[in-house]
Every structure is written in C-alpha cells, then in structure tokens.
C-alpha cells in the first residue's frame, strides 16, 4: 500500500517546526528518521495530515559532554552514537546495545528521539534510558519541559509528550568511574526485534550500592524491575542467593505476551537474561 495524501514541510529551525505543528488544524507529526513512521503510513496505520520533517534542523544533532551529564540531541542517529568517543567513554551501556539494534541501514537513519517518542515496547533505547536514569527534554512554543525517563513511557506506544511539544534532547547523568553495566537480549535472528531484553546500570563492584534494571519486550512498555533492584542492593552479583531473589522479583512485573511468546515464556526469558546480565556486569 501507499500512504494517504499528506502535506509536508521541512523547517530550518525549531521555532518553525513548532509553529508548523501547532498551526496545523489536523494531525501533524514530526518526522525524524522515519524508520517506523513511514512504514506505518504506507500501511495506513498512521494517516497524518502534515509531516514536519526535522532533518534540516542542525541544532538537534549533537553529543555534548557537560560537567555532570551527556546531552544527546534528539535527531542524533544510532550510527552517530556508535562512532562517538564521548558515548564510548561515558555511556558504555549504549555501546553494548547498539550492535543489537536492527541493521546498519536502519542505524544510519534511526534517531534516538524518534525511538523514544515511538515508545515501542520491544525497542532497546527506552530501556537504556530507564537504566541510565535519563531525562527527556521536550520543547514547546512556551518553553522547555524536562521529563524523567521513569515518567516518560506511559503505555503501549504512549508517552507523556504533549501534542505541542517536540523532543529536542536527552540528558544522561555521567556515570562515575566505578559504575558497571550489562546488556543482553534474545531475538530469533540478529537484527530482529528482541523476544526479551535487559539493560543494567549499577554502582559498586563487589557489593552493589545502587542498581537500575530495565526490561524491554516483556510488557506494554520498557519497565524497571524495582523488586529485583531491591533484592540486589547491598548484595554481590556473585552471590547466588541474592541473584535468585532478584530473579524472583521479576514476578512483580506485569508481563504481556505477543506474537513471539506467551507470558510464561516472557517470564522465563527475563529470568535467563537477568541471570546472564548480573554475571556479566562490568
């Protein structure tokens, strides 16, 4: 199929993009990498009246090392994240996950902001943002709003983003040197959406001081396993009893099956992945 008729604008500035979004009387959608939106339009699952193409707004493509955080512009592509020395040095969790995301052609076009706004429960980026305690920066004509990743993802393909806002950047606290990370997922083929996946950021080698465990492709959104986090806090990732308690914490999650696997299989995969990831924290 082909997309329904739509109008198209390619603004050169964020102000112009916001004006186009708010000035549209129908359904206006920002266009980032288009790796999800364009197929949805071709299948007529999405039929916007107006596409506001953000690709000419250079200010939205950046990776900045600030004093206590790394700030990534929303139009920064996966491929740019892969090539970034800043990401490699300060956000190794993202580096661990990127090779699992689709294929190079997709990573050349897909953007961090586009992935977060789509909020696909099977995507890696939302879970990474939960694990890294990220803040999503949304901008409207009236100013800027900062939304914790914990509050940004609210349901299946649903976020806290308002109709007059555009995600312009994501801010991630710069992890201390003693932080450790793990990432793993299970997919039928490399590059496919995961059947289940986990991302972990922890502080403390030996006894865990703090830990954030985020799962994807097991529920209607990326989710924190807070019961598992509590079980591991103050414990060693090498302690089998602590790990078993963390695995039991998965039962506190509201899991959902899909075409890949029913709920019980999702629970089993989540337990397998968490055990692997805790053993590989580095």
């Amino acid at each position: 199929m082909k997309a329904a008729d739509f109008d198209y604008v390619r603004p050169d500035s964020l102000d112009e993009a916001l004006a186009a979004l708010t000035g549209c009387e129908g359904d206006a959608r920002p266009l980032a990498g288009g790796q999800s939106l364009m197929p949805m339009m071709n299948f007529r699952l999405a039929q916007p009246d107006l596409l506001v193409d953000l690709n000419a707004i250079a200010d939205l493509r950046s990776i900045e090392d600030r004093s206590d955080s790394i700030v990534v512009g929303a139009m920064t592509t996966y491929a740019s994240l892969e090539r970034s020395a800043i990401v490699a040095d300060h956000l190794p969790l993202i580096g661990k996950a990127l090779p699992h995301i689709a294929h190079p052609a997709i990573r050349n076009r897909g953007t961090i902001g586009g992935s977060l706004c789509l909020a696909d429960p099977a995507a890696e980026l939302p879970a990474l943002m939960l694990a890294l305690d990220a803040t999503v920066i949304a901008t409207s004509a009236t100013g800027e709003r900062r939304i914790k990743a914990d509050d940004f993802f609210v349901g299946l393909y649903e976020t806290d983003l308002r109709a007059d806002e555009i995600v312009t950047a994501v801010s991630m606290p710069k992890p201390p040197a003693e932080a450790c990370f793990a990432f793993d997922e299970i997919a039928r083929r490399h590059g496919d959406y995961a059947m289940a996946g986990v991302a972990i950021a922890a502080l403390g080698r030996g006894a865990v001081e703090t830990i954030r465990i985020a799962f994807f492709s097991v529920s209607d959104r990326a989710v924190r396993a807070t019961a598992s986090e509590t079980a591991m806090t103050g414990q060693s990732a090498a302690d089998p009893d602590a790990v078993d308690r963390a695995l039991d914490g998965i039962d506190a999650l509201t899991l959902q099956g899909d075409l890949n696997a029913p709920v019980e299989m999702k629970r089993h995969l989540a337990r397998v992945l968490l055990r692997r990831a805790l053993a590989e924290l580095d």
Side-chain angles (χ1 to χ4, degrees):
M1 293 183 67
K2 296 297 181 183
D5 291 342
F6 60 91
D7 292 325
Y8 171 88
V9 295
R10 185 180 170 93
D12 295 319
S13 71
L14 179 60
D15 286 343
E16 291 176 18
L18 290 168
L21 282 176
T22 56
C24 178
E25 294 183 358
D27 179 20
R29 300 278 187 94
L31 173 65
Q35 300 303 283
S36 298
L37 180 58
M38 298 312 296
M40 290 170 65
M41 289 175 62
N42 285 338
F43 282 109
R44 302 203 175 189
L45 298 173
Q47 298 187 42
D49 299 293
L50 173 67
L51 277 188
V52 182
D53 189 342
L54 305 180
N55 281 276
I57 307 175
D59 291 346
L60 298 184
R61 299 181 188 274
S62 60
I63 302 174
E64 299 179 18
D65 182 350
R66 299 185 182 175
S67 60
D68 58 353
S69 62
I70 306 298
V71 179
V72 178
M75 289 296 291
T76 302
T77 63
Y78 301 133
S80 296
L81 293 171
E82 284 184 288
R83 294 191 296 264
S84 169
I86 293 174
V87 171
D89 288 344
H90 297 291
L91 300 171
L93 179 60
I94 292 179
K96 289 174 180 287
L98 283 168
H100 295 270
I101 299 175
H103 302 283
I106 301 296
R107 297 198 293 272
N108 283 336
R109 291 291 304 168
T111 66
I112 186 170
S115 178
L116 300 185
C117 290
L118 180 64
D120 190 320
E124 291 87 353
L125 259 296
L128 294 175
M129 296 303 102
L130 289 178
L132 292 170
D133 194 20
T135 298
V136 178
I137 301 171
T139 304
S140 69
T142 58
E144 194 176 87
R145 188 164 66 104
R146 301 175 72 88
I147 312 160
K148 296 294 290 183
D150 286 320
D151 301 319
F152 186 73
F153 307 104
V154 298
L156 182 64
Y157 297 108
E158 289 185 287
T159 71
D160 188 53
L161 193 67
R162 297 169 183 165
D164 63 343
E165 292 177 326
I166 291 175
V167 170
T168 49
V170 184
S171 177
M172 290 156 278
K174 193 181 292 184
E178 61 271 25
C180 49
F181 307 93
F183 178 90
D184 202 357
E185 69 175 48
I186 296 173
R188 294 188 185 279
R189 297 174 302 177
H190 180 76
D192 283 0
Y193 276 118
M195 298 171 70
V198 67
I200 301 178
L203 183 62
R205 298 180 183 269
V208 172
E209 297 175 25
T210 63
I211 187 167
R212 295 175 69 92
I213 301 171
F215 283 98
F216 58 99
S217 199
V218 300
S219 188
D220 67 342
R221 72 198 84 170
V223 291
R224 291 251 321 268
T226 54
S228 299
E229 293 171 357
T230 299
M232 288 307 306
T233 302
Q235 308 299 314
S236 169
D239 180 348
D241 292 333
V243 171
D244 284 343
R245 289 193 294 272
L247 300 185
D248 291 341
I250 292 170
D251 292 339
L253 296 175
T254 301
L255 304 183
Q256 290 191 1
D258 55 25
L259 292 175
N260 283 313
V263 168
E264 285 309 310
M265 186 171 180
K266 294 283 187 180
R267 181 174 291 106
H268 170 71
L269 293 177
R271 291 175 66 94
V272 169
L273 287 167
L274 183 54
R275 186 182 294 278
R276 288 181 186 174
L278 289 172
E280 295 170 7
L281 275 176
D282 61 30

